[in-house]
C-alpha cells in the first residue's frame, strides 16, 4: 500500500509494509481526530499494553494497528509519549494545532531517518536515494570517506557518505516548526550504567536477564504475518531460535529458520545451526550462495546498502533476506546486538584485564588471562597482546593512523573519534561506546538495508528497552 498527504506548505509520502493490522484501517499517512497525521516506519512492540492504558483514559480506536496507538499516545502524553514505547521506529507526526512536525527515531537507531536542509527545502526519508533526487549534483562527504579509509570508521554519528545528507541519531527527536521553518534536534534517551545492578547477585542477575529476554522475544513475535529467524549457528541467534520455537506448535505453521551456508568450511557455522534446528524441531531453510551469485548480485547489494561496507558477510545476509522473500516470511528475528550488549567479542578481555589490574593486581589479572587463553581456541597470546596494546596505548594507535593518512590536512577530521577510542580503558564506557557509536550502528544499517530491500522486517530481541 502507499499514500500521500498534502499540507499547506509540506507533503508526506509513505509506502507501507503491512505487518500489524493488514486492513485499510491501518493505511498511512494515518489521520487522527482531525488534528494529527502520521507516517511511521517500524514497530511498537508493546502497543497492546499502551492501548489498554489509553482505553482506560477514554480513548477509542478504529484499527488494530500500532500506528494509531502512536497517535493516541501523542495526544495524551505529548512528545513524552516515546518514553512509553518499546520498539523500533522512525516517524513524522504533523500536529495541526501547534503547526509542527514531530519526528523521532528509536533509542538505538534501528530504523533509519535521513534528512537534508538548505534553507529553501527540508527533506527527510528512510533512504538516502529519496533525498538525492532533489540534488542538482551529488557529492561525497570527504570527512566520512577519510574516516572510513584511514580510521576504519564505517558509520558516522550524524553524517553520511553524501555531502549535506544527515542522520537523526538514535535516541533523538527532531521538531520542525512550519511557521518559521526552523527545526531543533534534541536527545531524549541516553544509555547509562544501572547502579541497581551493582547490588544484585550473579544468580539474581541471570534470572532477571532471562525473564526480560524471554519477554523481549515474546513481544517480537507479535505479528499478523509469519515470523521466522536468521539462524547463523552462533550463540545469539541460537538462543532466540530456541526460545521462539518453544512458543510454536509443531505443525505446518511451525517456526522457520533460514541459514546461510558458506563454501568456506573454516567460516561455516551451519553444523551448529543444524543442532539447534534438530533440538527445537524447527523447519530449516538453507541458502548456499555460489561465486556466480556473488558476482551477479554484488552491484545490487551496493545499491541496497547505499553506503560503503567492509565485509562479504553483508552479501551473505543479502541472500538470506532474498530467501525469506521467496519463502514468504515477512518478519525475521535476528541476533544482532548480542555481542555488544553481552560483551561477546574477544577484544573485551583486554579491557577486563585492565579493570582487574586495578582491583586485584597483576597476579589476579594474569590468572584470568591465563584461564581465558586455555579455554578459548580463537584467542592466541599474540592476538591478546595486540588487544592489550590497542586499548592501552591509544596515543600510539592515533599517530599510526596519522602516519597512514597521506592527506594530513584531513587528519583533524577524525581527531575526536580517535580520542574517544583512546579513553576507552573502562569496560562500561567501552560497551556504551560500542553500542551507541562504533560497532552496533553499522550492523543495524546493514540489517535494515538488506531486509527492507526485499520488504522484510527484522526484529532484534537483544536490543530491548527496560529499566532495573
Amino acid at each position: 500500500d502507499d499514500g500521500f498527504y498534502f499540507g499547506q506548505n509540506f507533503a508526506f509520502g509513505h509506502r507501507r509494509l503491512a505487518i500489524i493490522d493488514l486492513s485499510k484501517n491501518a493505511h498511512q499517512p494515518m489521520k487522527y481526530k482531525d488534528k494529527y497525521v502520521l507516517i511511521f516506519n517500524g514497530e511498537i512492540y508493546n502497543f497492546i499494553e499502551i492501548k489498554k492504558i489509553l482505553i482506560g483514559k477514554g480513548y477509542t480506536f478504529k484499527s488494530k494497528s500500532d500506528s494509531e496507538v502512536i497517535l493516541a499516545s501523542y495526544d495524551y502524553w505529548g512528545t513524552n509519549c516515546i518514553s512509553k514505547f518499546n520498539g523500533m521506529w522512525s516517524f513524522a507526526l504533523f500536529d495541526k494545532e501547534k503547526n509542527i512536525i514531530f519526528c523521532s527515531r528509536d533509542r538505538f537507531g534501528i530504523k533509519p531517518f535521513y534528512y537534508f536542509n538548505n534553507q529553501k527545502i527540508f527533506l527527510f526519508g528512510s533512504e538516502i536515494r529519496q533525498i538525492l533526487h532533489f540534488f542538482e549534483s551529488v557529492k561525497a562527504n570527504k570527512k566520512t570517506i577519510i574516516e572510513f579509509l584511514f580510521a576504519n570508521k564505517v558509520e558516522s554519528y550524524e553524517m553520511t557518505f553524501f555531502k549535506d545528507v544527515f542522520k537523526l541519531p538514535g535516541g533523538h527527536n527532531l521538531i520542525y516548526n512550519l511557521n518559521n521553518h526552523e527545526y531543533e534536534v534534541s536527545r531524549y534517551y541516553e544509555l547509562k550504567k544501572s547502579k541497581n545492578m551493582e547490588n544484585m547477585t550473579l544468580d539474581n542477575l541471570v534470572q532477571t536477564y532471562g525473564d526480560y529476554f524471554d519477554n523481549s522475544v515474546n513481544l517480537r513475535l507479535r505479528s499478523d504475518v509469519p515470523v521466522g529467524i536468521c539462524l547463523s549457528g552462533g550463540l545469539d541467534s541460537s538462543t532466540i531460535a530456541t526460545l521462539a520455537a518453544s512458543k510454536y506448535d509443531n505443525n505446518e505453521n511451525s517456526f522457520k529458520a533460514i541459514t546461510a551456508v558458506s563454501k568456506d568450511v573454516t567460516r561455516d557455522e551451519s553444523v551448529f545451526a543444524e543442532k539447534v534446528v534438530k533440538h527445537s524441531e524447527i523447519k530449516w531453510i538453507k541458502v548456499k550462495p555460489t561465486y556466480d551469485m556473488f558476482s551477479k548480485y554484488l552491484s545490487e547489494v551496493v545499491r541496497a546498502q547505499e553506503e560503503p561496507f567492509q565485509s562479504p558477510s553483508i552479501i551473505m545476509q543479502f541472500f538470506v533476506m532474498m530467501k525469506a522473500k521467496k519463502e514468504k516470511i515477512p518478519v525475521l528475528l535476528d541476533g544482532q546486538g548480542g555481542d555488544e550488549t553481552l560483551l561477546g567479542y574477544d577484544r573485551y578481555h583486554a579491557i577486563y584485564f585492565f579493570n582487574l589490574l586495578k582491583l586485584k593486581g597483576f597476579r589476579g589479572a594474569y590468572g584470568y588471562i591465563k584461564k581465558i587463553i586455555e579455554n578459548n581456541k580463537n584467542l592466541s597470546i599474540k592476538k591478546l597482546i595486540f588487544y592489550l596494546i590497542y586499548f592501552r596505548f591509544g596515543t600510539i594507535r592515533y599517530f599510526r593512523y596519522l602516519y597512514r593518512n597521506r592527506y594530513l590536512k584531513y587528519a583533524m577530521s577524525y581527531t575526536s573519534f580517535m580520542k574517544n577510542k583512546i579513553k576507552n580503558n573502562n569496560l562500561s564506557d567501552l560497551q556504551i561506546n560500542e553500542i551507541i557509536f562504533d560497532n552496533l550502528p553499522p550492523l543495524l544499517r546493514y540489517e535494515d538495508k538488506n531486509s527492507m530491500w526485499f520488504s522484510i522486517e527484522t526484529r532484534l530481541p537483544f536490543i530491548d528497552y527496560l529499566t532495573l
Side-chain angles (χ1 to χ4, degrees):
D1 187 24
D2 57 42
F4 304 91
Y5 176 84
F6 298 94
Q8 187 175 354
N9 54 3
F10 75 95
F12 283 166
H14 187 270
R15 179 157 289 173
R16 183 183 175 206
L17 172 59
I19 303 295
I20 301 291
D21 190 346
L22 312 185
S23 73
K24 292 182 179 179
N25 292 332
H27 172 82
Q28 293 191 49
M30 181 177 283
K31 300 176 183 178
Y32 188 79
K33 285 190 172 183
D34 198 32
K35 292 196 298 184
Y36 313 116
V37 181
L38 173 76
I39 49 175
F40 160 52
N41 174 24
E43 295 289 346
I44 307 301
Y45 302 122
N46 64 335
F47 76 101
I48 294 175
E49 289 77 10
I50 298 172
K51 191 174 185 177
K52 288 179 180 177
I53 295 173
L54 292 169
I55 290 174
K57 303 293 183 181
Y59 283 82
T60 58
F61 294 85
K62 298 178 180 179
S63 75
K64 296 179 181 179
S65 72
D66 52 343
S67 304
E68 191 176 9
V69 172
I70 292 176
L71 287 160
S73 298
Y74 177 80
D75 185 67
Y76 185 74
W77 287 296
T79 57
N80 193 46
C81 65
I82 52 176
S83 66
K84 313 292 181 183
F85 300 157
N86 182 341
M88 56 180 185
W89 68 83
S90 278
F91 67 73
L93 190 156
F94 170 51
D95 185 327
K96 194 173 183 179
E97 293 181 343
K98 294 182 179 179
N99 206 28
I100 62 169
I101 299 176
F102 171 49
C103 305
S104 181
R105 192 177 181 196
D106 63 76
R107 294 175 182 85
F108 302 103
I110 300 172
K111 281 296 174 181
F113 188 106
Y114 300 103
Y115 68 94
F116 162 79
N117 179 57
N118 68 352
Q119 307 305 318
K120 294 181 180 179
I121 187 171
F122 181 87
L123 304 166
F124 67 90
S126 298
E127 295 179 304
I128 296 173
R129 58 175 55 82
Q130 296 168 311
I131 294 172
L132 297 183
H133 277 291
F134 294 84
F135 282 28
E136 292 183 4
S137 61
V138 178
K139 297 181 180 179
N141 184 330
K142 289 183 179 179
K143 186 175 186 296
T144 50
I145 289 176
I146 292 297
E147 289 178 346
F148 175 72
L149 293 175
F150 297 101
N152 204 32
K153 186 180 180 184
V154 189
E155 192 85 356
S156 172
Y157 188 57
E158 294 181 271
M159 297 183 295
T160 68
F161 283 84
F162 294 86
K163 185 179 179 182
D164 298 326
V165 179
F166 296 90
K167 293 180 297 185
L168 179 65
H172 282 68
N173 295 331
L174 184 153
I175 297 179
Y176 190 95
N177 190 318
L178 290 163
N179 293 315
N180 58 20
H181 295 283
E182 294 181 354
Y183 66 92
E184 182 180 354
V185 175
S186 60
R187 179 195 291 270
Y188 69 84
Y189 178 77
E190 189 171 1
L191 188 62
K192 295 179 180 179
K193 186 178 180 180
S194 172
K195 292 182 179 179
N196 296 332
M197 293 176 63
E198 295 175 359
N199 300 320
M200 296 173 68
T201 65
L202 179 59
D203 289 342
N204 198 334
L205 282 168
V206 170
Q207 182 63 49
T208 301
Y209 184 89
D211 292 342
Y212 275 113
F213 189 71
D214 187 61
N215 181 64
S216 177
V217 173
N218 278 334
L219 286 176
R220 283 157 181 79
L221 288 174
R222 288 178 171 173
S223 173
D224 293 332
V225 296
V227 180
I229 185 170
C230 301
L231 179 61
S232 67
L235 282 173
D236 302 335
S237 60
S238 297
T239 303
I240 299 170
T242 305
L243 267 175
S246 67
K247 305 175 192 300
Y248 280 75
D249 294 326
N250 187 22
N251 54 37
E252 291 183 0
N253 296 317
S254 61
F255 195 59
K256 298 175 182 178
I258 302 179
T259 300
V261 181
S262 175
K263 295 183 73 173
D264 183 354
V265 292
T266 62
R267 294 180 178 273
D268 182 42
E269 294 183 322
S270 61
V271 61
F272 303 112
E274 186 175 11
K275 291 182 179 181
V276 175
V277 167
K278 289 180 178 179
H279 171 78
S280 300
E281 297 182 327
I282 299 172
K283 184 176 180 181
W284 197 24
I285 302 166
K286 292 176 284 185
V287 55
K288 190 173 183 178
T290 63
Y291 174 83
D292 289 339
M293 289 175 68
F294 264 78
S295 178
K296 178 181 178 181
Y297 286 101
L298 181 58
S299 60
E300 188 174 337
V301 177
V302 172
R303 287 198 300 275
Q305 286 295 320
E306 296 192 301
E307 297 181 282
F309 55 92
Q310 294 175 307
S311 169
S313 65
I314 312 306
I315 308 173
M316 291 289 277
Q317 185 187 57
F318 182 87
F319 288 121
V320 169
M321 301 305 170
M322 183 190 293
K323 189 69 172 177
K325 178 73 171 181
K326 185 177 180 181
E327 296 290 333
K328 298 181 180 179
I329 310 173
V331 177
L332 288 175
L333 304 182
D334 204 336
Q336 214 69 269
D339 284 314
E340 290 77 17
T341 56
L342 292 174
L343 300 171
Y345 296 114
D346 285 338
R347 60 178 180 270
Y348 294 139
H349 291 300
I351 299 296
Y352 190 57
F353 173 83
F354 294 125
N355 281 233
L356 283 179
L357 207 58
K358 296 176 184 177
L359 295 172
K360 298 184 177 181
F362 179 79
R363 181 174 292 182
Y366 174 75
Y368 167 79
I369 288 297
K370 185 179 178 182
K371 188 180 293 184
I372 290 299
I373 293 293
E374 291 173 353
N375 291 283
N376 191 335
K377 295 180 180 180
N378 296 321
L379 186 62
S380 63
I381 296 177
K382 182 179 179 181
K383 186 181 289 187
L384 182 64
I385 292 173
F386 170 79
Y387 287 140
L388 289 169
I389 295 173
Y390 185 84
F391 285 108
R392 184 60 180 170
F393 303 105
T395 305
I396 294 175
R397 193 169 69 255
Y398 175 57
F399 282 108
R400 173 175 170 264
Y401 282 122
L402 289 185
Y403 174 76
R404 288 178 62 189
N405 182 5
R406 299 177 185 276
Y407 303 93
L408 290 177
K409 63 180 179 179
Y410 297 124
M412 299 307 292
S413 70
Y414 56 85
T415 298
S416 59
F417 164 67
M418 290 309 304
K419 283 182 178 177
N420 208 17
K421 284 279 192 184
I422 291 168
K423 69 181 182 182
N424 279 323
N425 290 333
N426 178 281
L427 193 60
S428 297
D429 290 343
L430 174 68
Q431 186 180 27
I432 291 173
N433 189 68
E434 295 269 271
I435 292 171
I436 302 300
F437 297 101
D438 284 351
N439 217 67
L440 188 57
L443 297 178
L444 296 179
R445 189 239 295 179
Y446 304 150
E447 178 100 16
D448 188 77
K449 299 285 189 183
N450 275 339
S451 60
M452 293 301 283
W453 189 256
F454 293 102
S455 299
I456 303 296
E457 178 178 282
T458 51
R459 300 175 174 181
L460 316 174
F462 280 103
I463 310 176
D464 197 16
Y465 167 71
L466 56 92
T467 55
L468 286 176

